[in-house]
Amino acid sequence: MLVIQAASQPPKPRREPRLGLAVAGGGPIGGMYELGALRAIEDAINGLDANRLGAYVGVSSGAFIVAGLANQFSSAEMCRIFLTGDSHEARFSPNLFVQPALLEYLRRAGRTPRVLAEWMADFVRNPLRQSLTDNLVRLAGLLPTGLFDNEAIETFLRTLFTRDGRSNDFRALSRKLYVIAVELDSGRAVRFGAPGFDDVPISRAIQASSALPGLYPPVRIGGKLYVDGALQRTLHASVALDQGADLVIGINPLVPFDAASAQANGTDPSGSLIDKGLPAVLSQTFRTLLQSRMQASLSKYKRHYPKSDVVLFEPNPDDARMFFTNVFSYDNRLQVAEHAYRSTLADLRARRDDLAPLLARHGLLLDEAILADANRNLHDGLRNAPARRSAATQRLRTALDELEGLVGHASVSPRGHAAAQRQPHS
């Protein structure tokens, strides 16, 4: 499903349009959907280079993707790393996401004697005032805050971002990168990468942003605990809009399922979600909450950013494959990414007349040859893997990318050129 929210007060076209990308969370499978959708968007829109955007905003699994793009991993290379496993850059194992949080289990188990001693003391003092609910609340403190350990994920990302001329430092990137997490004890959203929060390693920020409560323990940074950024808002596209983006492209993999529409279209004739049990009911509830916040955010963007366009890519409401796929399973990640690729191309094809004028304002053009190819698939763009870049080659590309940014900034106005000379580009 393609949501197009055109600017109500579109500005004059810029020589160098300011483009942003905001990618929501959705677990490992949500990340695979996002990679497939991103590949389709890049293939079908001429002039769009996902490695050269003005601002990147990521939440949870989306943070993995935008951080890779800002660090000059192409979307094709990330598909090789996370989908096909034939990348020269890294060897990724899905088991990183499901390692038991043994240290967390031991910490909680270590509290058991004290909790039991306190309960026994209370029982001796007031044996008739003990209630089942009070005891359950007391015992709940012994439960681990996360089933799986996310330290291995941070280690993998740190290794990935600290070799071959790349960087694990927000301040060293030539493009603005923001990773959103929520401070546990205040419920406040934090933009890692923004001033005051840009000294945190990118890998640690992503670990915090993807720490979904119950599955992964909160991540301690600077004496505070952080959890999944999706707990505050779904997309956080306003972060890119605050940076002056003229066009923000958003990708959100989780939408509520329309069972009636799926039955009418024949995509899922199985009946009500209640028949699928508690997991389906909980999934629908969670997705409905996310979608409600997404719609509220879009309304806010329209009011507060009238000169900016927003284009949002999501699964269709009757997409049974995306709803019933286990969001933490990797068994069918290739199929999900391929499905996302084809679905996104279909959305672009169906909405080309609405989308083309909007894209043209930003110097972008739909590739009609790509849209006309009904047999095109994700693997078409992954066949010829480039050789692994050396550290020197990557440093040269980073320097050229930074130089291009400075030249583009200088071409906007003489004042901009003077400012670029006075301040280091970051």
Side-chain angles (χ1 to χ4, degrees):
M1 180 173 64
L2 179 54
V3 179
I4 300 173
Q5 185 165 286
S8 58
Q9 302 172 19
K12 294 180 180 179
R14 301 177 189 271
R15 182 179 300 177
E16 294 290 334
R18 294 179 292 195
L19 309 180
L21 175 67
V23 186
I29 286 297
M32 302 306 102
Y33 174 91
E34 290 160 349
L35 276 177
L38 180 62
R39 286 297 300 154
I41 294 166
E42 273 200 287
D43 283 352
I45 301 180
N46 290 330
L48 179 66
D49 185 343
N51 291 113
R52 298 177 181 273
L53 303 180
Y56 298 88
V57 184
V59 183
S60 193
S61 61
F64 285 75
I65 294 173
V66 297
L69 293 172
N71 238 313
Q72 298 306 306
F73 283 100
S74 68
S75 58
E77 192 59 36
M78 284 193 285
C79 285
R80 297 186 187 99
I81 292 173
F82 294 109
L83 296 177
T84 65
D86 57 358
S87 171
H88 300 300
E89 301 280 357
R91 296 297 178 192
F92 174 74
S93 171
N95 292 331
L96 291 177
F97 287 96
V98 290
Q99 296 187 10
L102 296 179
L103 289 178
E104 174 66 8
Y105 299 163
L106 292 174
R107 279 195 293 267
R108 294 291 165 171
R111 299 176 59 182
T112 302
R114 179 171 60 84
V115 171
L116 291 179
E118 292 174 352
W119 176 75
M120 287 296 295
D122 287 345
F123 181 80
V124 170
R125 287 193 298 266
N126 301 291
L128 301 180
R129 296 182 61 183
Q130 300 295 312
S131 71
L132 176 62
T133 54
D134 288 341
N135 289 328
L136 288 176
V137 170
R138 189 194 302 271
L139 294 176
L142 300 178
L143 296 176
T145 56
L147 297 176
F148 305 115
D149 186 9
N150 47 17
E151 286 294 333
I153 298 172
E154 191 277 333
T155 300
F156 172 80
L157 292 172
R158 177 167 19 102
T159 302
L160 201 62
F161 294 154
T162 54
R163 68 184 187 193
D164 299 337
R166 296 185 170 94
S167 178
N168 199 32
D169 189 332
F170 284 100
R171 298 163 296 186
L173 298 178
S174 60
R175 308 285 168 171
K176 291 292 185 181
L177 169 66
Y178 301 94
V179 173
I180 313 301
V182 169
E183 185 185 326
L184 178 63
D185 291 328
S186 69
R188 181 171 62 95
V190 171
R191 302 176 178 183
F192 288 112
F197 296 94
D198 54 1
D199 58 338
V200 176
I202 297 171
S203 56
R204 184 66 69 183
I206 297 173
Q207 179 191 10
S209 179
S210 57
L212 183 63
L215 289 175
Y216 299 103
V219 176
R220 186 175 295 277
I221 299 175
K224 296 182 178 180
L225 295 170
Y226 295 91
V227 293
D228 196 316
L231 299 184
Q232 251 275 358
R233 285 196 292 273
T234 303
L235 193 64
H236 292 272
S238 60
V239 179
L241 293 167
D242 285 340
Q243 294 299 309
D246 302 312
L247 167 65
V248 173
I249 296 173
I251 306 176
N252 171 42
L254 299 182
V255 298
F257 183 59
D258 188 340
S261 178
Q263 292 177 42
N265 296 334
T267 56
D268 182 54
S270 57
S272 172
L273 290 178
I274 194 69
D275 299 329
K276 306 292 185 181
L278 180 61
V281 173
L282 291 177
S283 178
Q284 181 76 332
T285 302
F286 180 64
R287 290 163 182 258
T288 301
L289 290 173
L290 291 178
Q291 188 69 4
S292 175
R293 292 190 305 185
M294 176 70 74
Q295 293 171 349
S297 293
L298 286 173
S299 177
K300 172 188 171 184
Y301 303 156
K302 192 174 186 65
R303 293 195 311 271
H304 294 285
Y305 308 96
K307 296 183 179 180
S308 298
D309 296 313
V310 178
V311 177
L312 175 65
F313 293 86
E314 297 178 316
N316 292 320
D318 61 351
D319 193 333
R321 180 191 293 267
M322 279 304 300
F323 182 82
F324 291 108
T325 296
N326 180 357
V327 295
F328 296 102
S329 170
Y330 263 91
D331 292 341
N332 55 356
R333 59 189 185 274
L334 276 171
Q335 292 88 339
V336 168
E338 182 66 55
H339 174 69
Y341 183 89
R342 291 177 177 270
S343 297
T344 302
L345 284 184
D347 287 338
L348 288 168
R349 194 177 296 121
R351 300 292 303 279
R352 55 157 63 91
D353 291 342
D354 299 318
L355 187 60
L358 184 149
L359 293 177
R361 288 206 293 266
H362 308 286
L364 304 175
L365 182 68
L366 287 173
D367 190 323
E368 291 296 337
I370 295 291
L371 296 182
D373 185 358
N375 296 318
R376 187 172 181 83
N377 60 65
L378 178 66
H379 290 279
D380 288 340
L382 305 179
R383 288 172 180 163
N384 300 317
R388 180 176 175 176
R389 295 190 183 97
S390 66
T393 302
Q394 182 59 36
R395 283 194 295 269
L396 176 60
R397 171 166 179 162
T398 300
L400 291 174
D401 183 57
E402 184 172 353
L403 178 61
E404 181 186 38
L406 286 170
V407 171
H409 183 61
S411 67
V412 176
S413 69
R415 178 178 295 181
H417 176 65
Q421 288 181 321
R422 289 194 300 269
Q423 300 179 2
H425 188 68
S426 61

